[in-house]
Amino acid sequence: MPGKKVLVLGGGFGGVRAAITARSLLPAGHDVTLIDRQARTHIGASLPLLVVGEKEASKASRSLGQLANRGVSYIQEEIRSIDLQGKSVTTDAGVHGFDYLVLALGAEYDWDAVPNSLVAHSFYNLETARRLRRAVRGFRRGRVVIAVSSLPYKCPPAPFEAAMILRWAFKRAGVSSKIEMDLYTPEPAPIPVAGPEASACVAADLASRGIQLHPNAAVKEVARDGGSATFTDGSSIDADLMVTVPTHRVARVVAESGLTGGKPWVGVDPATLETQHPGVFAIGDVNVVMMANGRPLPKAGVFASREGEVAGRNVAAAAGDAEPARFQGQGYCFIAYSGREAGRVTGDFLAAGRPRVTFEQPSRKGFRAKEKFEIDWRRFRL
Ligand SMILES: Cc1cc2nc3c(=O)[nH]c(=O)nc-3n(C[C@H](O)[C@H](O)[C@H](O)COP(=O)(O)OP(=O)(O)OC[C@H]3O[C@@H](n4cnc5c(N)ncnc54)[C@H](O)[C@@H]3O)c2cc1C
């Protein structure tokens, strides 16, 4: 039987796991190739700590070239189009045919959705986190505003985590009493997916740190000088340091492939992660998997990774003789409160009825688990 060609698009949490899994299960005659525009990728979970100088970019990155050690061919190219009928992907360097495709291109940011949000700060990629780090270093007094622009956004705890970490860093610098902090979210409470108890805990922890929470308010527009913002509830606020969580969307190459069917994200079979095109799987932030309560599964690396494993197994089952797998929806997300302590939201997110989630209070043990999570990611163990 001639070898099959497995193409994985995107080398983040999901794509890497899918490629490593498929490679480990398929006989040598099959080819597993991963394409990403970046040779070195960075983990989002480290960015809030990078902002306050507790983490360096070198400790938050990994080289996709090292996938060769796992038998996966890595190609650094920009993906321009995906032809599902012709079973090929065109990049800035050529055309790659495939028998099986795993789409793991993540979510991209639409900075234009909130006018002037690029004048303000963010921490949702390395570039913005580095710029915010420079601004935080010299920040001694005034108001910090952290404002979420829309749902869904990656890692539901991240804005709350960033606020707690910033407060901790300001205390450490002896300037906390001179700094007001406000946090705006479109949701009715912090991290509602974690359930009412966890949400109430996080709300109380924000309040005890003097971080004013503004629920049901998404940032609509930032002023041209970045010094104020308006919100969907009609309110506005002045800020000395404005930080936004950008609007997320699928990349244009994904929308143009027809895989979204005109919807915001790629629909998949929630168990197999196959799209409506046989042999084409979509995993991680690029897809939408609905929970039993009618809400989408959060966009998080831990889910992308588990979905990658399931898609990799299912590709290997289709191309070889591996056992197929089903995505179960178990996962967790850390919420660091400082450079020393982290809590964790863990659960069965696809449980019947509604997600079954527990919240572990922040602790040093939790922080060590978060550090291990990031080390595992760097070593391709996630
Ligand atoms: C601040 C922050 C904190 C977070 N904290 C956590 C956390 O604690 N725990 C957790 O589980 N998750 C966390 N996340 C979320 C996590 O990073 C994402 O959910 C995860 O990266 C999604 O994985 P993915 O494989 O779907 O996509 P990605 O990891 O985004 O990978 C997509 C890849 O596709 C590539 N790509 C895209 N378009 C193209 C193209 N046209 N051509 C070539 N390559 C392309 C990109 O370069 C990228 O490498 C956090 C995210 C942020 C921003």
Side-chain angles (χ1 to χ4, degrees):
M1 194 174 67
K4 299 286 185 193
K5 172 113 189 157
V6 179
L7 207 52
V8 178
L9 306 186
F13 270 92
V16 162
R17 176 55 39 200
I20 288 176
T21 304
R23 179 65 284 163
S24 69
L25 294 171
L26 283 168
H30 299 279
D31 177 73
V32 180
T33 297
L34 184 146
I35 307 179
D36 199 297
R37 58 160 76 105
Q38 308 180 80
R40 185 161 275 282
T41 58
H42 291 84
I43 185 169
S46 287
L47 296 178
L49 285 168
L50 183 140
V51 165
V52 299
E54 280 287 304
K55 187 79 80 176
E56 298 306 323
S58 59
K59 293 275 180 213
S61 74
R62 67 185 181 188
S63 156
L64 293 179
Q66 286 179 11
L67 284 173
N69 301 336
R70 305 290 190 100
V72 174
S73 312
Y74 161 63
I75 302 178
Q76 185 179 3
E77 288 173 11
E78 175 75 27
I79 298 151
R80 298 260 196 244
S81 65
I82 302 165
D83 177 355
L84 297 170
Q85 272 68 44
K87 294 202 164 201
S88 67
V89 168
T90 302
T91 68
D92 54 355
V95 179
H96 305 271
F98 63 83
D99 296 297
Y100 298 94
L101 185 73
V102 181
L103 185 76
L105 291 175
E108 67 168 33
Y109 303 139
D110 178 4
W111 296 102
D112 294 331
V114 172
N116 303 313
S117 58
L118 272 182
V119 180
H121 289 275
S122 187
F123 59 96
Y124 257 63
N125 57 27
L126 183 63
E127 192 190 344
T128 55
R130 279 181 160 154
R131 191 173 146 241
L132 178 57
R133 175 171 167 155
R134 290 195 290 277
V136 164
R137 203 178 283 149
F139 198 75
R140 292 284 172 267
R141 63 176 65 232
R143 179 184 282 133
V144 178
V145 171
I146 299 176
V148 178
S149 62
S150 64
L151 302 171
Y153 63 86
K154 292 180 201 183
C155 189
F160 307 97
E161 171 178 276
M164 308 266 200
I165 288 174
L166 276 173
R167 179 57 93 197
W168 171 75
F170 291 143
K171 271 203 179 122
R172 194 177 53 173
V175 295
S176 189
S177 62
K178 299 188 190 107
I179 295 174
E180 288 174 70
M181 293 184 71
D182 290 80
L183 201 164
Y184 289 78
T185 171
E187 297 190 281
I191 333 174
V193 69
E197 272 175 41
S199 192
C201 275
V202 174
D205 290 338
L206 291 169
S208 70
R209 287 162 176 74
I211 300 163
Q212 178 77 40
L213 180 67
H214 304 265
N216 298 312
V219 61
K220 224 170 54 173
E221 184 164 359
V222 173
R224 257 195 230 155
D225 64 357
S228 63
T230 54
F231 297 87
T232 49
D233 65 351
S235 65
S236 61
I237 195 165
D238 292 338
D240 301 289
L241 195 59
M242 182 75 71
V243 182
T244 72
V245 172
T247 294
H248 292 36
R249 66 178 177 199
V250 287
R252 185 186 296 168
V253 63
V254 176
E256 288 176 354
S257 72
L259 274 165
T260 59
K263 301 221 167 96
W265 306 99
V266 179
V268 289
D269 177 321
T272 64
L273 306 167
E274 195 166 21
T275 66
Q276 57 184 347
H277 296 268
V280 177
F281 297 78
I283 56 170
D285 289 356
V286 79
N287 78 15
V288 60
V289 171
M290 298 310 285
M291 299 186 294
N293 61 3
R295 296 178 171 272
L297 183 73
K299 296 201 179 300
V302 71
F303 291 127
S305 177
R306 292 202 174 167
E307 292 178 16
E309 185 173 0
V310 169
R313 282 183 179 277
N314 288 338
V315 164
D321 59 3
E323 280 294 309
R326 296 174 74 80
F327 178 57
Q328 308 283 355
Q330 278 105 2
Y332 57 85
C333 226
F334 293 101
I335 171 165
Y337 276 46
S338 68
R340 309 287 177 269
E341 293 192 320
R344 181 166 23 182
V345 174
T346 307
D348 182 356
F349 287 80
L350 296 184
R354 62 181 172 79
R356 310 253 167 241
V357 183
T358 55
F359 178 59
E360 279 168 53
Q361 292 290 339
S363 66
R364 283 179 181 260
K365 187 172 161 229
F367 194 80
R368 284 196 295 276
K370 175 178 160 62
E371 291 280 82
K372 180 174 181 311
F373 172 80
E374 295 178 28
I375 291 167
D376 283 349
W377 175 86
R378 286 214 309 273
R379 295 182 180 162
F380 296 108
R381 288 199 298 238
L382 265 182

